[in-house]
């Protein structure tokens, strides 16, 4: 791996001769790079060069598409863990899906209230850990706070501020939650909340991207500029792909909400 990384420092000169390498074989090691590398290292470096060259040609041919970068994670694992970066980005997508499922349904169900977070003097707790939630009718959900009566006011506030368009009514330790009618205004309100949630998720995605790129930049001067460029490009493409996935989720959810 160390020898492969040393070769990556010479990528600019290799890239200059990569078109010749395509027709005459693998690129030869430049001065300062061991002439006899393990075959798998030569293949990986060559694959990076071919990927960049062919993608760039494709981009120039179409005039609009961008060059795709696909650098081997094994070659840069000492710089950044690309798999971990991808997992962090996908975690943001999964959180958005969960938010859509729990909080943005046209029809309110008891399960939609389960994970509303209640702020109490002892900390934060999901509503279903403090009260018993049940649906008495299609138009009424009841939360029984008998086990934690001191948290009734806090639970009521959490339900009201959940963004689900709910107006709870308190009767002792019983919280009655009328289920709102499915009006056009309610659907449009939920659609706006879906867009707001997506924007928040994209902000979280940008933080993951920035953190990863900053990690790569720490290696400036230690590895070649071309290696830094390749990694930054790939991280950006990963972020763009994840953002596009979020846009598809939002489009599908908006269609579901507006009917």
């Amino acid at each position: 791996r160390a020898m492969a990384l040393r070769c990556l420092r010479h990528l600019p000169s290799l890239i200059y001769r990569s078109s010749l390498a395509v027709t005459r074989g693998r690129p030869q090691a430049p001065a300062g790079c061991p002439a006899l590398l393990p075959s798998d290292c030569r293949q990986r470096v060559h694959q990076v060069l071919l990927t960049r060259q062919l993608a760039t040609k494709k981009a120039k041919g179409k005039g609009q598409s961008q060059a795709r970068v696909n650098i081997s994670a094994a070659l840069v694992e000492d710089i950044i863990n690309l798999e971990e970066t991808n997992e962090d980005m996908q975690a943001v997508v999964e959180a958005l899906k969960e938010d859509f499922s729990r909080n943005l349904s046209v029809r309110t169900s008891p399960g939609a209230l389960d994970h509303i977070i209640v702020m109490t003097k002892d900390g934060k707790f999901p509503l279903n850990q403090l009260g018993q939630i049940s649906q008495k009718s299609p138009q009424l959900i009841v939360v029984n706070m008998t086990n934690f009566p001191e948290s009734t006011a806090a639970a009521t506030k959490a339900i009201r501020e959940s963004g689900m368009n709910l107006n709870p009514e308190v009767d002792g330790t019983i919280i009655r939650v009328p289920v709102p009618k499915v009006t056009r205004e309610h659907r449009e309100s939920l659609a706006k909340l879906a867009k707001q949630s997506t924007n928040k998720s994209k902000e979280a995605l940008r933080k993951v991207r920035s953190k990863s790129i900053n990690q790569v930049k720490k290696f400036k001067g230690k590895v070649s500029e071309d290696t830094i460029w390749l990694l930054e490009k790939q991280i950006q493409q990963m972020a763009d792909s994840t953002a596009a996935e979020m846009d598809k989720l939002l489009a599908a959810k908006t269609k579901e909400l507006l009917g």
Side-chain angles (χ1 to χ4, degrees):
R1 182 173 66 248
M3 285 189 291
L5 285 174
R6 284 198 295 273
C7 284
L8 283 176
R9 297 191 183 99
H10 298 276
L11 275 175
S13 61
L14 286 173
I15 291 169
Y16 177 77
R17 293 179 291 174
S18 61
S19 60
L20 182 61
V22 172
T23 58
R24 296 187 179 179
R26 295 172 184 157
Q28 299 298 315
C33 184
L36 296 176
L37 285 175
S39 60
D40 60 334
C41 289
R42 294 201 307 271
Q43 291 172 353
R44 287 177 181 175
V45 172
H46 186 58
Q47 183 61 44
V48 171
L49 296 174
L50 290 180
T51 299
R52 182 176 176 185
Q53 181 192 31
L54 295 176
T56 303
K57 285 183 177 180
K58 182 178 179 182
K60 289 181 179 178
K62 291 188 176 181
Q64 293 182 347
S65 59
Q66 296 182 348
R68 298 294 300 176
V69 174
N70 186 21
I71 191 169
S72 170
L75 291 175
V76 295
E77 60 183 5
D78 291 334
I79 301 175
I80 189 171
N81 189 329
L82 290 174
E83 292 183 0
E84 184 176 305
T85 297
N86 184 61
E87 289 173 359
D88 289 344
M89 290 183 178
Q90 287 303 309
V92 177
V93 175
E94 293 303 316
L96 179 62
K97 289 180 180 178
E98 187 174 353
D99 181 52
F100 280 178
S101 176
R102 287 181 178 177
N103 302 322
L104 297 174
S105 175
V106 173
R107 296 193 178 278
T108 305
S109 64
L113 306 185
D114 285 351
H115 300 284
I116 290 178
I117 301 300
V118 181
M119 294 286 295
T120 72
K121 63 180 181 180
D122 297 318
K124 300 178 181 180
F125 299 93
L127 181 59
N128 63 352
Q129 291 185 12
L130 300 175
Q132 298 177 342
I133 306 172
S134 60
Q135 187 154 5
K136 296 300 182 181
S137 71
Q139 288 77 40
L140 182 65
I141 296 175
V142 172
V143 183
N144 189 331
M145 298 293 296
T146 301
N147 293 333
F148 296 92
E150 69 279 5
S151 299
T152 301
T156 303
K157 180 181 178 182
I159 294 171
R160 183 175 292 112
E161 296 178 354
S162 65
M164 298 173 64
N165 193 34
L166 301 175
N167 294 300
E169 303 168 354
V170 182
D171 182 8
T173 58
I174 301 297
I175 304 174
R176 292 186 172 84
V177 186
V179 177
K181 294 181 179 179
V182 185
T183 62
R184 185 67 184 178
E185 290 75 15
H186 181 52
R187 290 176 180 273
E188 290 176 351
S189 176
L190 291 176
K192 289 180 181 179
L193 289 175
K195 185 172 180 60
Q196 291 174 9
S197 295
T198 303
N199 288 338
K200 288 180 181 179
S201 295
K202 285 185 176 181
E203 179 60 32
L205 174 63
R206 285 190 286 270
K207 289 181 180 179
V208 173
R209 180 204 61 193
S210 297
K211 178 182 176 182
S212 299
I213 289 181
N214 288 337
Q215 173 65 23
V216 171
K217 286 182 177 178
K218 291 179 181 179
F219 286 82
K220 280 189 174 181
K222 299 179 182 179
V223 299
S224 71
E225 292 183 4
D226 200 70
T227 301
I228 299 295
W229 182 89
L230 285 168
L231 285 170
E232 290 180 349
K233 188 73 172 178
Q234 180 153 341
I235 291 168
Q236 183 61 54
Q237 289 173 349
M238 291 165 62
D240 290 343
S241 177
T242 305
E245 186 177 353
M246 291 181 181
D247 287 336
K248 289 181 180 179
L249 288 173
L250 175 61
K253 193 63 180 181
T254 300
K255 183 178 179 180
E256 172 193 327
L257 294 172
L258 297 180

